[in-house]
Amino acid sequence: QVQLVESGGGLVQAGGSLRLSCVASGRTFVGYVMGWFRQAPGKEREFVAAINWNGGNTYYADSVKGRFTSSRDNAKNTVYLQMNSLKPEDTAVYYCAARIDRVNSRPHEYDYWGQGTQVTVSS
């Protein structure tokens, strides 16, 4: 079992930045692919980014490519999502998730989820 706790959300103006953190506990963090997803009111949960076990490979949704960066510190059992040039359409609850095996963009392929952190971008 893996427990995930996100933090770092908040209210920011368009063009601003936030850094989300997700701390894992319970099992060996290093073996897990970590994903970031978001869900806006009335919309389905969507893929944002994913990072492989050693941080050597990252993947992004087209909507955030060039603005968001995912990284991880396995010594701290933590994965990060640096979000720059934020837009009002980035407003959502952001979730981190974990899975074994390869990177995947489909939410149902992830086994463990955090509780989410709200990101609100004002225009």
Side-chain angles (χ1 to χ4, degrees):
Q1 195 78 358
V2 175
Q3 292 81 42
L4 303 172
V5 179
E6 303 98 333
S7 62
L11 173 64
V12 64
Q13 288 189 331
S17 298
L18 284 173
R19 188 176 81 156
L20 306 184
S21 300
C22 173
V23 179
S25 61
R27 299 191 73 172
T28 304
F29 175 70
V30 70
Y32 285 85
V33 167
M34 301 299 296
W36 287 97
F37 295 81
R38 65 187 183 187
Q39 188 165 18
K43 295 188 176 181
E44 292 187 352
R45 192 166 297 189
E46 65 173 0
F47 172 75
V48 174
I51 186 166
N52 75 329
W53 71 275
N54 67 355
N57 290 299
T58 51
Y59 306 85
Y60 300 96
D62 288 342
S63 59
V64 306
K65 204 170 291 183
R67 300 187 298 122
F68 290 12
T69 302
S70 185
S71 61
R72 66 191 292 165
D73 184 341
N74 286 341
K76 296 182 178 179
N77 286 0
T78 302
V79 62
Y80 304 98
L81 184 68
Q82 177 66 44
M83 306 186 296
N84 298 329
S85 302
L86 282 161
K87 304 175 181 179
E89 52 262 44
D90 294 318
T91 296
V93 177
Y94 283 71
Y95 299 89
C96 69
R99 73 184 302 267
I100 292 290
D101 204 3
R102 291 175 288 183
V103 168
N104 196 295
S105 64
R106 291 171 289 187
H108 68 270
E109 296 285 350
Y110 285 75
D111 302 306
Y112 304 102
W113 290 83
Q115 83 290 348
T117 186
Q118 176 71 47
V119 171
T120 303
V121 184
S122 63
S123 56

